[in-house]
Amino acid sequence: MDYVHLRRQAASLRKGLFDQGYLDEQFYQLEDLQDDASPNFVEEVVTLFFRDSARLMANIDQALDKCVKDFNKLDVYMQQLKGSCTSIGASRMKTDCSAFRECCRDENIEGCMRSFQKIKREHSVLRQKLESYFQLLRQAGPVECATRPNK
Amino acid sequence: MVLIDKETWSLEAITWSNFASMFTNSKIPKLFILANPALKNNSQFFQDVNLNIILKPLRASMLQVSLQRALFGGGDKGNCRNGVVGNLSLGSLLQGKRILVVDDNSVNLRVAAGALKKYGAEVTCADSGKRAIEFLKPPHSFDACFMDIQMPEMDGFEATRRIRGMEAALNDRIKRDEVCREINGKVIQSWHIPILAMTADVIQATHEECLKSGMDGYVSKPFEGEQLYREVARFFKPNTKLS
């Protein structure tokens, strides 16, 4: 098994996530919190995020489906989702959440639906990429000695 | 003071560490290196305690804190990183402190608890205002509480008001000598647990409402290093002897 190659792949995936704006510096904070006492902290928090956000998004889907649009309720759900996104550094999703909330404030239901579709897409892409990233890390195994990763 | 952007000046003849040591041997000038956070994985550089590192983009608040520490900081030579004003500093404030973190959002709760644990705090989590009140009914052994203000069932303001109410009632009885002042070997004249609001939207109105409901201050969430330090330093004195 070429661990160096896998680690390079993981590093490159990770760099891409930052370069393309999927993640922001809050994600560094998560990585900073990972240590011997919490060796899988980042993956645990990210897993928690996707579980939590899926639930919130299902609630939002339901609320959007109803005939009577409760913009207050939608805004509350979205505030929760935005909070979670901020906590893990999910930058693009965070921006889209803000756009959705603007539409709620304007009571613009079409705008809400459009931005929600975007949120769902971003969510799916981010999930795919992060899942690949963690899988690569797992395959590459623990780093025994401090290596200087590629920039 | 000398601030050097690491990316625009590449040292070839000597290492950054050796270069920096030329400054540490004299009192002035102080050297600060501005670094790109994307290079944080270059761990050797960032962990070199001889270097005063400030991450870009340069923010006024971070600059203020970094300069204060470098110019006046007593004996603590922890380097400044990413808004975290030297892990040593927050560690010396929070080590061993029992902190209650309250947030109905499980992701936020996990991240906030993780951050506080990193500095050595003993963290307990609560996912509602109601739970917070249960934990903070005196007597209890918590040293501080971080409370989310935007919670659906009972928001942080209401929870804080009720906690202050419980404290006031007990403090009355303490004054009238109706009740023992000692808890866990400590004599408590008057109960007042520091409660800091955690808020995603930091606006003036929120600040006033925080104070009105009896909170002691607020921090943004997720935590921002120097702000967290500033707020926590108001209640906790640095423990210079870290066990």
Side-chain angles (χ1 to χ4, degrees), chain A residues 14 25-26 28-30 32-33 41 44-45 48-49 52 79-80 83-84 86-88 101 147-149 151, chain B residues 37-42 44 57 82 84 104-108 110-111 114-115 118 150 152 201 221-223:
Chain A
R14 178 182 173 279
E25 64 177 40
Q26 176 61 19
Y28 292 130
Q29 302 281 11
L30 293 189
D32 253 356
L33 295 180
F41 184 77
E44 281 166 12
V45 174
L48 184 58
F49 167 76
D52 193 63
Q79 186 185 41
Q80 280 276 333
S84 300
T86 310
S87 278
I88 71 155
R101 294 187 73 196
T147 50
R148 190 182 277 216
K151 268 171 49 168
Chain B
L39 302 178
K40 265 184 82 126
N41 276 328
N42 184 348
Q44 278 207 300
N82 191 23
V84 174
D104 65 315
N105 181 314
S106 56
V107 180
N108 296 346
R110 194 81 162 74
V111 176
K118 175 185 169 125
Q150 291 122 347
D201 302 309
K221 62 170 176 173
F223 295 141

Side-chain angles (χ1 to χ4, degrees), chain B residues 41-111:
Chain B
N41 276 328
N42 184 348
S43 53
Q44 278 207 300
F45 174 78
F46 281 87
Q47 277 171 24
D48 188 334
V49 294
N50 287 320
L51 306 179
N52 289 319
I53 298 170
I54 304 176
L55 289 191
K56 299 193 288 186
L58 191 59
R59 287 169 293 164
S61 55
M62 188 57 212
L63 184 58
Q64 179 206 338
V65 172
S66 306
L67 291 176
Q68 245 173 340
R69 285 196 64 251
L71 296 173
F72 309 113
D76 176 0
K77 274 203 77 186
N79 62 348
C80 308
R81 301 197 296 184
N82 191 23
V84 174
V85 187
N87 293 332
L88 246 47
S89 298
L90 266 166
S92 71
L93 289 180
L94 291 172
Q95 181 73 36
K97 293 289 193 292
R98 294 190 185 90
I99 314 251
L100 180 70
V101 182
V102 188
D103 197 324
D104 65 315
N105 181 314
S106 56
V107 180
N108 296 346
L109 200 50
R110 194 81 162 74
V111 176

Side-chain angles (χ1 to χ4, degrees), chain B residues 9 27 29 53 68 78 118 125 135 153 155 172 183 202 211:
Chain B
W9 190 17
K27 282 275 165 69
I53 298 170
Q68 245 173 340
K118 175 185 169 125
C125 293
F135 276 116
E153 284 172 24
D155 67 27
D172 262 341
I183 174 95
V202 182
L211 298 179

